[in-house]
Each structure stands twice: as C-alpha cells, then as structure tokens.
Amino acid sequence: MTPRHVVAIAVTDAIPVFEFAVPCEVFGIDRSDLVDPWYELRLCAAEPGPLRTSGGLRIETPYGLDDLLAADTVLVPACRRAIQRESPPALLDVLRRAHARGARMVSICSGAYLLAAAGLLDGRRATTHWMNAADFAHRFPAVKVDPTVLYVDEGDVLTSAGTGSAIDLCLHLVRLDHGAAVANEVARRMVVPPHRDGGQAQFARPLARGEAHDDLAPLLEWARERLDQPLTVARLAEQARMSPRTLARRFRDTLGTSPLRWLLEQRVRLAQELLETTDEPVELIARRTGFGTAVSLRQHFRRVTSVSPQTYRHVFRRARQP
C-alpha cells in the first residue's frame, strides 16, 4: 500500500488560529474517499510547551522536532512577533536539515521569517503578508520579496501571503499532489473558490472612491462560461462596457494580470480538469477550452504547467485510481 504523505506543522506558542486551522482542515480531515491514502497530519511542538493559539486555546502536540525532520512536507504557519525577531535555533536547525534531506518546505504568512532565518529563501522569490513585506525585505536582503502575490511556488520551497492565502496555498499543494479535480472537490467541501484570481495587491492598495475590487466578477463569470469561444480584449471590454484600455487597467489593478493572461490561465485550468476527469482526446479538449488546435493546447499547457497534456493525464488519472 502506498505510504501516507506526512504533513508536519511546526507549532509555536501563540500561533494565529486561522493560519493554524487551515492546514488542519485541508490535510487533517480524512478524505480517503477522494484519494486513498490521504495525508497524515502531525502537530509538532517547535518550542517547549504548553503551547496555545493566539486566542488561548491549548494545542496538544504529540510530536516533536524529530518528527518534523522526518516529514514529507514541513509547514511553518504564522508566528508571533518575538519568534520573527529571534527564531529558536533548534527549530532553524531542523528546518535546514529537513530541506537538505528533501522535504517540501512551506510557510504561511509570517512563517516565511523562519524559512528565511534558516537560509532557505536566499536567492529565491518569496512572499509574506503585505504588511510585513518592507520589514521582511530589510531583514533578509538576499530574498527576492514579491508582496503582490497570494503565494510563490519555488518547487521545493513555497511561501504564502497573509491569512486567507493559507487556503490558496494549501489547495495548491493538493493540486500538485493529486490534481485539479481533487483540489476542486476539497474546495467545494470547504465552500471556497478552488483558485482565487489576482494577488494580495488588491487588498494592500486603497481603491479609488466608488470602486470595488470585485466589480469584474460578472465579467469573469461570463468569460468562464465561454472559454470555448474566441474571446478577445475588445469583446471582453464590450461586455464590461469599458474601453479596452480601461479594462486592461482594471485587470492590472484588481487582479495583477492582463485580460489575455487571465484567459490563458482559465483555459489551462479547465484543460487540467478535463484531462483528469474525461477520456476525451486532446484535440477535443483543445476545442472545448478555446485553444482551437492540439498544437496550441500543448504549447500553452506546457508553458504554464511545465509538462505535456499527455504526461499530466497519465500522472493524475493514475493518482485518482484506487
């Protein structure tokens, strides 16, 4: 039987409730009806106890630093300011050793301070909560800080922005491990979007009076229902009753991307789900997703996912089999 993928959470005292609860929800609930085996979640004490959440709830941590070291994925949630300023040396040592032995390293919000203090983000692109971005960049000049995104995937090291982006990153991990269809089902059960558009810039920047960051929502939904059609910026602008220039600016300010780039990502995402859940040939999927031809689909799919549609289908269809 395939061994369970162990996700170990480094629990520090006064850990913020939400950033701690999200990985417990995603990885700690038995979802073997979707994938068997599902993950095994371990709560590892990263400093002497008793350990509590920021709201005072006692956390039982039956595992310790040795278990953190042995995990497949090491997850460091947000931490209190004192930990950000002066990280426990024993924890930093374990983080370095876990990375060296091949564990996937993940931080949520200010947990990036611990990965950076361990030297795991040097020379890498990373993110953290936008409110901490300036301080983080000052303290860790070797890190390429991107304060505009919800999360950054550097392969073996992943970082997320603040609070709500914990959901985005955890679902991304499920998507990497088990495919888009499984991640989408987990999102449905959590009653959250499987993938949010845009980055944290929409929350960090004050909007002009009368604007709302979700004023594009009707247009985005309209476009998602017509991905098989030849959508252009001009057609999107006409539907939104804006000029193409205004639409492009609204996409940039609200979603941090261009209309055409957004369309490409939506089409690739739909292609992923069709490859996982249907036996349709690539040629038909190309038409259903608006790429037109199999050649075009393969070109754009590989650019976004780094693999071919055939490889993606082989990996994730096999992963879905009991």
Side-chain angles (χ1 to χ4, degrees), residues 230-252:
L231 300 177
T232 63
V233 174
R235 188 177 180 195
L236 291 175
E238 180 182 5
Q239 177 66 24
R241 297 182 179 178
M242 303 177 188
S243 70
R245 178 176 295 181
T246 299
L247 181 70
R249 177 177 58 80
R250 193 65 57 82
F251 263 77
R252 183 180 64 251

Side-chain angles (χ1 to χ4, degrees), residues 171-184 265 267-278 280 282 285 297-298 300-321:
L171 289 176
H172 176 67
L173 293 174
V174 175
R175 192 177 301 113
L176 290 174
D177 295 337
H178 302 296
V182 171
N184 291 351
E265 292 173 352
R267 285 173 165 149
V268 169
R269 210 167 289 141
L270 176 59
Q272 287 177 304
E273 184 155 0
L274 293 173
L275 288 165
E276 294 175 40
T277 59
T278 76
E280 293 178 355
V282 171
I285 291 177
L297 170 59
R298 291 188 184 100
H300 292 293
F301 194 92
R302 181 180 289 276
R303 183 179 302 165
V304 173
T305 68
S306 301
V307 298
S308 68
Q310 290 88 346
T311 298
Y312 186 89
R313 167 172 272 170
H314 173 73
V315 170
F316 287 109
R317 285 296 291 274
R318 184 174 60 183
R320 288 171 59 85
Q321 295 173 356

Side-chain angles (χ1 to χ4, degrees), residues 209-232:
R209 176 178 292 182
E211 286 189 338
H213 73 264
D214 60 350
D215 63 352
L216 287 176
L219 174 66
L220 302 184
E221 186 61 28
W222 179 87
R224 286 192 186 99
E225 294 174 355
R226 294 164 176 80
L227 293 175
D228 60 326
Q229 300 178 19
L231 300 177
T232 63

